[in-house]
């Protein structure tokens, strides 16, 4: 008979592999330009939605917009040479100066703050990684090695780095030495809330404690616990959770 933890893990895994990750045959390999484009796209997209993140690099519009504005169609070149669009953003310290000088406004304005990181990232990719972000994973590192390499880039925090690694593996077929064991859960508010209500972590658990719990419960694929995201989004709302239609009602001590 399936115990309580096994049941919760099965629900999380079903959600994750069914709705949040592409099946292996649907994963899309990228060329060098695709990897550089994806690397920059994830770098500038803080707070990116799962639905968008699991798509292809071409669905992430910032790099394409930069290419269109500059007329430079190679991501490595775009962010390493002193082109006009890049210089325009780097030249101003704040929005007031930028607007007063007639700078471009609109949807791309917020990206101006990340352009320096993009520039530094592509310079490092050019100088240390053979000109392609593909070489960050080409030797089939462990998940943690891959994560540490990505996190070593300015602007890539723990959450964004984890997202990039998951997209690389689950959307574009990167192979890791330890397969899925090195891919961690993203301890976002939905996952953390559900894990708390299920009694798997304490109410004041840190993101690292949520990650550690997922590793403990599923050492072969901690990322599966991201499937609780769907439970949190659809049923286990911050207020007024819909316990009566939640698949976990039979194993949840917090049900109402
Ligand atoms: S039963 Fe209720 S409290 Fe428990 S996980 Fe489901 S929605 Fe959340």
């Amino acid at each position: 008979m399936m115990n309580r933890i096994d049941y919760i893990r099965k629900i999380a895994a079903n959600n994750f592999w069914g709705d949040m990750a592409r099946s292996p045959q649907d994963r899309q390999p990228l060329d060098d330009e695709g990897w550089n484009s994806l690397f920059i796209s994830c770098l500038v997209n803080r707070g990116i939605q799962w639905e968008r993140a699991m798509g292809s690099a071409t669905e992430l519009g910032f790099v394409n917009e930069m290419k269109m504005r500059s007329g430079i169609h190679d991501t490595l070149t775009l962010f390493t040479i002193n082109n006009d669009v890049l210089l325009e953003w780097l030249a101003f310290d704040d929005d007031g100066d930028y607007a007063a000088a007639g700078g471009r406004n609109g949807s791309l304005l917020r990206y101006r703050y990340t352009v320096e990181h993009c520039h530094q990232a592509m310079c490092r990719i050019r100088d240390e990684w053979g000109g392609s972000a593909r070489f960050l994973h080409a030797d089939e590192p462990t998940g943690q090695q891959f994560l540490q390499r990505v996190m070593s880039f300015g602007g890539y925090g723990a959450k964004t780095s984890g997202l990039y690694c998951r997209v690389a593996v689950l959307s574009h077929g990167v192979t890791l030495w330890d397969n899925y064991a090195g891919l961690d859960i993203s301890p976002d508010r939905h996952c953390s809330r559900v894990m708390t209500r299920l009694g798997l972590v304490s109410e004041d658990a840190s993101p690292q404690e949520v990650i550690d719990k997922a590793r403990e419960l599923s050492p072969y694929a901690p990322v599966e616990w991201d499937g609780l995201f769907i439970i949190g989004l659809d049923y286990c709302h911050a207020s007024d959770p819909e316990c009566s239609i939640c698949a976990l009602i039979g194993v949840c001590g917090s049900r109402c």
Side-chain angles (χ1 to χ4, degrees):
M1 185 174 157
M2 191 178 289
N3 70 29
R4 177 175 178 272
I5 293 297
D6 284 343
Y7 181 79
I8 298 170
R9 180 168 37 225
K10 182 167 178 279
I11 296 293
N14 284 349
N15 284 344
F16 182 75
W17 296 111
D19 293 331
M20 300 176 75
R22 287 181 184 164
S23 55
Q25 65 269 22
D26 293 331
R27 294 174 189 169
Q28 297 173 344
L30 296 176
D31 59 14
D32 288 339
E33 168 55 23
W35 281 113
N36 287 342
S37 175
L38 181 66
F39 197 75
I40 293 298
S41 295
C42 285
L43 176 59
V44 300
N45 275 281
R46 292 158 196 248
I48 189 171
Q49 300 291 316
W50 256 107
E51 304 86 277
R52 290 184 64 208
M54 298 308 284
S56 71
T58 54
E59 289 168 339
L60 305 175
F62 169 68
V63 176
N64 288 340
E65 183 80 21
M66 284 287 285
K67 287 176 180 173
M68 188 187 74
R69 291 186 181 204
S70 66
I72 299 170
H73 297 286
D74 174 78
T75 301
L76 189 76
T77 305
L78 175 62
F79 287 101
T80 52
I81 68 164
N82 292 330
N83 68 77
D84 288 344
V85 176
L86 194 63
L87 287 174
E88 181 183 355
W89 272 331
L90 291 174
F92 296 94
D93 292 332
D94 63 58
D95 291 344
D97 289 348
Y98 188 67
R104 290 184 180 87
N105 211 329
S107 62
L108 293 187
L109 184 59
R110 76 184 180 90
Y111 294 124
R112 189 163 57 82
Y113 299 106
T114 64
V115 165
E116 182 63 30
H117 283 143
C118 298
H119 174 62
Q120 291 168 0
M122 282 297 106
C123 286
R124 279 194 60 198
I125 291 290
R126 177 194 63 195
D127 299 339
E128 301 172 25
W129 294 97
S132 172
R134 174 171 62 86
F135 292 113
L136 292 169
H137 61 257
D139 60 344
E140 299 188 8
T142 66
Q144 288 305 306
Q145 285 172 329
F146 187 26
L147 186 71
Q148 292 305 319
R149 287 174 184 175
V150 176
M151 279 184 67
S152 73
F153 285 79
Y156 258 113
K159 189 171 179 182
T160 321
S161 301
L163 175 67
Y164 176 80
C165 293
R166 287 201 301 281
V167 170
V169 172
L170 299 168
S171 288
H172 300 294
V174 163
T175 301
L176 299 175
W177 186 82
D178 50 359
N179 203 7
Y180 300 122
L183 288 183
D184 281 321
I185 185 176
S186 175
D188 87 319
R189 60 198 165 96
H190 297 300
C191 284
S192 300
R193 182 173 63 250
V194 178
M195 288 183 81
T196 298
R197 287 177 173 168
L198 290 168
L200 300 175
V201 296
S202 64
E203 269 190 41
D204 56 356
S206 66
Q208 187 59 49
E209 287 173 310
V210 173
I211 289 171
D212 290 343
K213 178 54 74 173
R215 286 179 184 169
E216 175 195 323
L217 295 173
S218 296
Y220 53 87
V223 69
E224 287 182 345
W225 288 85
D226 265 333
L228 293 183
F229 172 90
I230 291 177
I231 298 287
L233 199 63
D234 291 348
Y235 311 110
C236 197
H237 316 298
S239 59
D240 299 326
E242 299 181 80
C243 298
S244 62
I245 53 172
C246 174
L248 296 174
I249 187 169
V251 292
C252 180
S254 299
R255 64 187 181 277
C256 50

